[in-house]
Amino acid sequence: MASLKVLNYELSPAPATIFGCLLPAPWMGMATGLLLAFGPQQGLPERFSPLVLALTHCLVLGMLAPIMLGALFQLMPVVAGQAVTGARRMAPFVALGSALIAAALTLGFLWGRTTGFATAIVLATLLYGAVIVALLVTACKVVVVDTTTRSLRWIAWALLLVVALGISLAGNFAGWWQLDVMYVLDLHVGWGLVGWIAALVLGVASTTVPMFWQTRRPSAHWQKVLPGVLWLALLPAFLPALQPYALLFACSLIFIIASLSLKAISQARRRFDPAWSLWLVCAGSYMAAALLAAVPTAQRLVSGFVFSSIALPDFVSQALPWWTGILVLVGGAVLPVNAMLGKIIPFLVFLHLRRQTPMGQRVPTMQVVLPPQRLLWQARMVLLAFALLLLLPLAPAWLTTAAGLVFSLSQGYLGSLLIICLLRYRHELKAVLLAQ
């Protein structure tokens, strides 16, 4: 069993730095749901339909990116003891800039405007370029002792690769240059879903899940190899001939890691917590996604070896990318992000009030700042949205609007809960200042 981690809460950034990244994000999730419900649905749920491409980038850039960068701004000093250079100056632009990039790409995907792709390139280069440089400079000082610190030490390189590949594709769509779109796209998707999202979720969860949900702490073997083994599995994908084998190897690793995670989460002491089920479904989602992602590649490899064509039914071939994407982006990213926001925001409110309140005065607990019953309703809503999204390929005409509206409602409700937390923080802080 790994030794207990010492967290440097006294180095925690100012509330505005973290809140500015985290609080706007659920509202972009709400906007993504509305886009699904009322956007042009031609081709849905086909992987390359304009709406699917727009939705993917609205969710990943508009909602998930600000939360993940805000988490890095928080964890670098608290876990690794190194404050991110310039985080306070960059934080106000992270959520707004990410939303603008997502909007520009949506303009390009839905209406074919090359100016949308060009605008996204400029904004992404400026915003994410500055963030990546700051993270790389800070990461050089991080001492690796476990999975979380290893993630903090190397995750900026994965983000750099994902952004560079995305800019390359956007430049192609803007007409600036020509490249092998499918080759670059496979790398962009692989490194985005596994090298960036899954690796960071794994790194953060290795510290926060034992802390908030009281699971067993990860073993020493877990702490030594993760998430580095995921990045190593993706490196051969740069060679076209090895891409299928790299994908199968990565899928195998994800399935094993998710299986171990599912076992640990199922044995958590705080199974009564409203967000516990979100982590349970998250682990199951990665297991299912790993199996589904491996199916087309395994099919092609087997067909090549036996010199016969093994074809999947058209419906399954069309639905597989949608199911895989929903399992990873919603089940494997939105669900744990929702679970963490429902914990970390009340915890930060409590932490900063405790630091600013004179000794002897009571500070509202996390459960008072954000009552568990409200989190339970939010968890139920987002799980319902997740189920509807998975069912969508069965009846797109009937389920698209419903799935979009329920997802939008779940994220809007979460956003309103976080605003209530912020208002409670200001109210309590004002009372403290007036008492002085």
Side-chain angles (χ1 to χ4, degrees):
M1 193 68 63
S3 60
L4 190 64
K5 186 193 304 291
V6 177
L7 302 179
N8 306 294
Y9 291 122
E10 68 279 1
L11 299 179
S12 183
T17 301
I18 307 304
F19 291 170
C21 293
L22 303 187
L23 293 186
W27 300 105
M28 273 303 295
M30 179 179 176
T32 303
L34 293 176
L35 179 61
L36 172 61
F38 303 111
Q41 298 175 5
Q42 293 83 358
L44 199 71
E46 202 275 325
R47 176 186 181 187
F48 296 114
S49 65
L51 183 59
V52 169
L53 294 172
L55 289 169
T56 300
H57 290 84
C58 283
L59 190 65
V60 172
L61 295 175
M63 179 183 177
L64 296 177
I67 295 173
M68 297 173 78
L69 294 177
L72 291 175
F73 292 164
Q74 173 72 17
L75 291 175
M76 280 285 194
V78 173
V79 175
Q82 303 294 334
V84 177
T85 306
R88 189 168 187 173
R89 291 187 292 272
M90 292 185 294
F93 302 101
V94 168
L96 176 60
S98 296
L100 291 175
I101 296 169
L105 289 174
T106 299
L107 182 68
F109 288 128
L110 291 183
W111 292 282
R113 302 290 181 83
T114 57
T115 54
F117 295 114
T119 302
I121 290 173
V122 174
L123 292 176
T125 302
L126 294 174
L127 175 62
Y128 297 137
V131 172
I132 289 169
V133 169
L135 290 174
L136 288 174
V137 170
T138 306
C140 292
K141 310 170 195 173
V142 173
V143 177
V144 174
V145 295
D146 58 13
T147 296
T148 303
T149 51
R150 187 173 295 105
S151 299
L152 299 177
R153 178 67 175 83
W154 298 105
I155 197 68
W157 292 103
L159 177 59
L160 173 61
L161 185 55
V162 174
V163 171
L165 292 168
I167 288 175
S168 299
L169 289 168
N172 181 88
F173 299 145
W176 292 2
W177 50 67
Q178 296 293 320
L179 45 76
D180 185 343
V181 172
M182 290 309 300
Y183 168 73
V184 177
L185 179 62
D186 287 342
L187 290 174
H188 180 59
V189 172
W191 277 92
L193 296 183
V194 179
W196 164 241
I197 293 178
L200 188 56
V201 169
L202 179 64
V204 173
S206 295
T207 291
T208 56
V209 172
M211 173 181 171
F212 287 119
W213 287 272
Q214 296 181 10
T215 62
R216 294 184 61 186
R217 296 191 60 78
S219 67
H221 295 295
W222 177 287
Q223 303 284 21
K224 287 179 181 178
V225 302
L226 296 175
V229 67
L230 291 177
W231 295 323
L232 291 176
L234 291 173
L235 288 177
F238 285 97
L239 299 176
L242 296 181
Q243 270 195 359
Y245 304 99
L247 173 61
L248 290 177
F249 184 42
C251 288
S252 301
L253 288 173
I254 291 172
F255 185 85
I256 294 170
I257 294 167
S259 301
L260 296 173
S261 301
L262 184 66
K263 180 181 178 182
I265 295 166
S266 66
Q267 298 172 347
R269 295 178 185 175
R270 293 183 60 85
R271 293 191 294 273
F272 57 86
D273 187 274
W276 171 77
S277 60
L278 300 183
W279 283 108
L280 202 67
V281 176
C282 170
S285 296
Y286 274 113
M287 292 175 63
L291 292 175
L292 293 183
V295 167
T297 301
Q299 173 209 1
R300 290 194 297 269
L301 290 177
V302 171
S303 298
F305 282 122
V306 301
F307 302 102
S308 62
S309 177
I310 302 177
L312 294 172
D314 291 340
F315 167 75
V316 175
S317 298
Q318 185 184 55
L320 272 179
W322 172 269
W323 284 331
T324 305
I326 293 299
L327 286 167
V328 175
L329 292 179
V330 180
V334 172
L335 295 190
V337 158
N338 279 199
M340 281 309 307
L341 285 177
K343 285 293 183 184
I344 197 63
I345 295 296
F347 177 74
L348 290 177
V349 168
F350 171 81
L351 175 66
H352 289 292
L353 284 176
R354 180 73 277 169
R355 291 168 59 180
Q356 295 165 318
T357 302
M359 293 295 295
Q361 290 186 224
R362 296 189 63 180
V363 173
T365 64
M366 291 172 58
Q367 290 74 19
V368 172
V369 172
L370 185 51
Q373 187 62 32
R374 297 178 181 177
L375 288 175
L376 179 60
W377 280 108
Q378 196 279 328
R380 289 172 175 172
M381 281 191 284
V382 74
L383 287 175
L384 175 60
F386 178 55
L388 290 173
L389 288 168
L390 288 176
L391 292 173
L392 187 147
L394 302 179
W398 292 92
L399 294 177
T400 298
T401 301
L405 288 177
V406 175
F407 184 81
S408 180
L409 181 62
S410 71
Q411 299 311 296
Y413 184 56
L414 176 62
S416 66
L417 292 180
L418 300 186
I419 289 178
I420 291 173
C421 291
L422 178 61
L423 294 177
R424 181 62 183 264
Y425 170 71
R426 290 182 174 179
H427 171 76
E428 296 290 341
L429 184 59
K430 182 179 179 181
V432 170
L433 295 176
L434 289 176
Q436 295 176 350

